[in-house]
Amino acid sequence: MSEVLSSSDPEVFALCRAEERRQAEKIRLIPSENYVSKAVLEASGSVFTNKYSEGYPGKRYYEGQEFVDPLEQLAIDRAKSLFGAAHANVQPYSGSPANLAVYLAFLKPGDKVMGLALPMGGHLTHGWGVSITGKYFTPVQYGVRKDTGRLDYDEIRDLAKKERPALLWAGGTAYSRLWDFETMGAIAREVGARFCADIAHIAGLIAGGVHPSPVAHADVVTTTTHKTLRGPRGGMILCKTEHAQAIDRAVFPGLQGGPHVHNTAALAVALKEAAQPSFKDYAKLVVSNARVLAEALMGKGFDVVSGGTDNHLILIDLTNKKVSGKIAARALDKAGIELNYNSVPYDTRKPFDPSGIRLGSPSVSSRGMGQAEMRQIATWMDRVVGDPTDETAAKVLGEVRELTGKFPAPGISI
Ligand code: DSN
């Protein structure tokens, strides 16, 4: 952090420093978070934050675009090349606006939308009732099987045939198994629906070649840019050429005004990083670390939903440990291990005080932690969940600090 901020606004500077220290000292396991590189941070703090550029490269509503246009085009070209997509829109402010653009491009209010239900691991914007997508459209929600914790594509097909949605979503926020995008695409075609794959959680795994890509099977692919992809906060839409105009018009002027050009700059940097061979190593490490952590936790009696993980994410039902997700998450946080409480499929408890916790390996993998550290984390989690007292948390915290001190956090110079 710079000396300029320190003297001009000591209060904000102090909070930034404290957050840097917190992120450096903790074991961060929230699966939707990560550490961006110093280069991404620098680009997102650049003077592009000063610029308005409503429109698209070559067709803007403001003057002074001689550097914004090539910047946005660079981000678009890098996104297309990384994911093998025909068209990319890099302007969505985040994942939810990207998803809303898909509704605006293809649906009329009241049309039927089918997605994975939020309590089953889906996302609000895939038609959950409290979201605008469940209020302005007619939602149909699929789930995971109670006996396996996994999607059942025959059940999804049967439901789609019965309900005939106009839009079918794949993707979620708490599903730890591979998505069969080819089958989801086939189901959508069978019922005459558009198929959109929301890859927000797994975009970095797809870019790194460790999760199958939906690009060949989906009409549209949406994503955030800040999770496993390790870019700035933001969203992105990839699509086939035939949908390019509808998607671009839906983002601007349909939903948004001026794009956040400083984020476009940071995204361009992140997309370049994601095309390097080292990113493939990172993606492999994310998946192997999640698998080792899940296995170590199961070895200690933790009930991992679906019996393991194929990606970066682990969902645990704590019912057998006789502690709620919230109590466990708070005790672990005091011990320096940060994750989030989460509903599990068929949860009998309320979403604000659910039975589960959700964790993942992106941040620890970005720090270069490996199998030995995953097993150590499982041991600490077992100690704290087994005895969620301040005393145990304090003991574990000292050991956590020792470990995090050995693995510098990318982008943070503490
Ligand atoms: N809030 C994100 C997550 O944590 O998974 C989803 O939008």
Side-chain angles (χ1 to χ4, degrees):
M1 298 296 306
S2 92
E3 292 307 308
V4 178
L5 180 60
S6 132
S7 57
S8 75
D9 194 332
E11 285 162 287
V12 170
F13 178 77
L15 290 169
C16 289
R17 287 295 284 183
E19 178 63 13
E20 273 189 332
R21 183 169 291 283
R22 194 190 70 76
Q23 291 190 15
E25 288 182 345
K26 277 180 127 172
I27 291 175
R28 298 174 60 233
L29 296 176
I30 294 175
S32 45
E33 295 182 350
N34 213 325
Y35 294 98
V36 299
S37 68
K38 199 94 186 162
V40 168
L41 281 176
E42 249 180 56
S44 77
S46 68
V47 290
F48 280 115
T49 201
N50 299 334
K51 190 68 196 119
Y52 253 116
S53 55
E54 285 174 7
Y56 289 102
K59 193 173 175 230
R60 307 277 188 186
Y61 294 82
Y62 292 82
E63 298 310 313
Q65 308 295 339
E66 56 266 48
F67 305 114
V68 171
D69 273 3
L71 175 73
E72 185 169 336
Q73 196 56 53
L74 192 59
I76 290 169
D77 291 344
R78 287 178 179 174
K80 284 164 61 178
S81 151
L82 185 66
F83 290 97
H87 181 75
N89 185 308
V90 296
Q91 295 194 4
Y93 299 143
S94 201
S96 295
N99 288 352
L100 286 182
V102 176
Y103 287 85
L104 188 58
F106 297 131
L107 269 59
K108 293 187 300 306
D111 279 354
K112 213 174 254 187
V113 53
M114 182 166 151
L116 179 61
L118 183 70
M120 296 280 172
H123 191 256
L124 278 168
T125 55
H126 298 179
W128 191 240
V130 296
S131 150
I132 187 171
T133 63
K135 289 182 194 292
Y136 285 27
F137 301 93
T138 306
V140 177
Q141 303 273 268
Y142 56 91
V144 295
R145 286 180 67 103
K146 198 167 185 177
D147 55 344
T148 61
R150 293 177 187 238
L151 297 166
D152 180 327
Y153 293 95
D154 292 332
E155 272 181 18
I156 295 171
R157 176 178 278 108
D158 289 347
L159 187 63
K161 279 186 170 164
K162 184 168 156 252
E163 299 286 351
R164 305 202 78 82
L167 174 65
L168 177 66
W169 285 99
T173 63
Y175 187 65
S176 60
R177 295 300 182 172
L178 296 183
W179 281 86
D180 182 349
F181 292 123
E182 190 173 356
T183 297
M184 291 296 286
I187 294 170
R189 280 193 299 281
E190 281 169 43
V191 302
R194 301 278 188 206
F195 173 42
C196 183
D198 178 344
I199 60 167
H201 264 261
I202 54 176
L205 306 185
I206 291 167
V210 294
H211 190 294
S213 168
V215 167
H217 312 294
D219 290 293
V220 183
V221 176
T222 61
T223 185
T224 49
T225 50
H226 47 267
K227 298 186 174 96
T228 51
L229 189 57
R230 224 161 51 177
R233 308 297 294 209
M236 186 165 71
I237 305 178
L238 311 169
C239 68
K240 300 190 184 305
T241 310
E242 65 196 275
H243 303 311
Q245 199 178 51
I247 288 294
D248 284 353
R249 280 191 181 152
V251 173
F252 173 82
L255 278 173
Q256 299 187 173
H260 295 174
V261 190
H262 56 301
N263 271 351
T264 311
L267 174 59
V269 174
L271 290 168
K272 183 177 180 184
E273 290 175 357
Q276 307 308 310
S278 58
F279 195 86
K280 285 194 163 48
D281 297 337
Y282 148 78
K284 276 188 206 142
L285 189 62
V286 168
V287 171
S288 68
N289 275 343
R291 184 175 38 77
V292 170
L293 182 54
E295 281 166 5
L297 288 165
M298 287 189 291
K300 294 179 186 307
F302 282 89
D303 179 6
V304 172
V305 173
S306 86
T309 179
D310 298 327
N311 57 24
H312 63 302
L313 185 149
I314 301 165
L315 186 64
I316 295 177
D317 184 346
L318 290 172
T319 306
N320 67 342
K321 295 281 182 186
K322 305 210 175 341
V323 57
S324 74
K326 201 179 237 179
I327 287 174
R330 295 219 164 132
L332 285 161
D333 193 50
K334 285 184 187 163
I337 298 172
E338 184 185 356
L339 42 69
N340 66 277
Y341 59 86
N342 213 94
S343 293
V344 295
Y346 305 96
D347 209 327
T348 50
R349 299 174 67 100
K350 297 256 184 292
F352 200 57
D353 185 18
S355 302
I357 48 176
R358 186 186 71 149
L359 59 151
S361 56
S363 299
V364 288
S365 302
S366 290
R367 297 179 86 144
M369 291 185 190
Q371 300 196 0
E373 289 73 36
M374 296 308 111
R375 292 196 185 97
Q376 180 58 68
I377 291 169
T379 300
W380 284 326
M381 285 181 62
D382 189 40
R383 270 169 66 189
V384 174
V385 171
D387 177 26
T389 58
D390 285 358
E391 202 188 355
T392 298
K395 280 188 201 143
V396 170
L397 178 65
E399 297 171 37
V400 164
R401 290 258 167 91
E402 225 173 277
L403 181 76
T404 52
K406 294 185 197 141
F407 289 88
I412 297 177
S413 36
I414 282 176

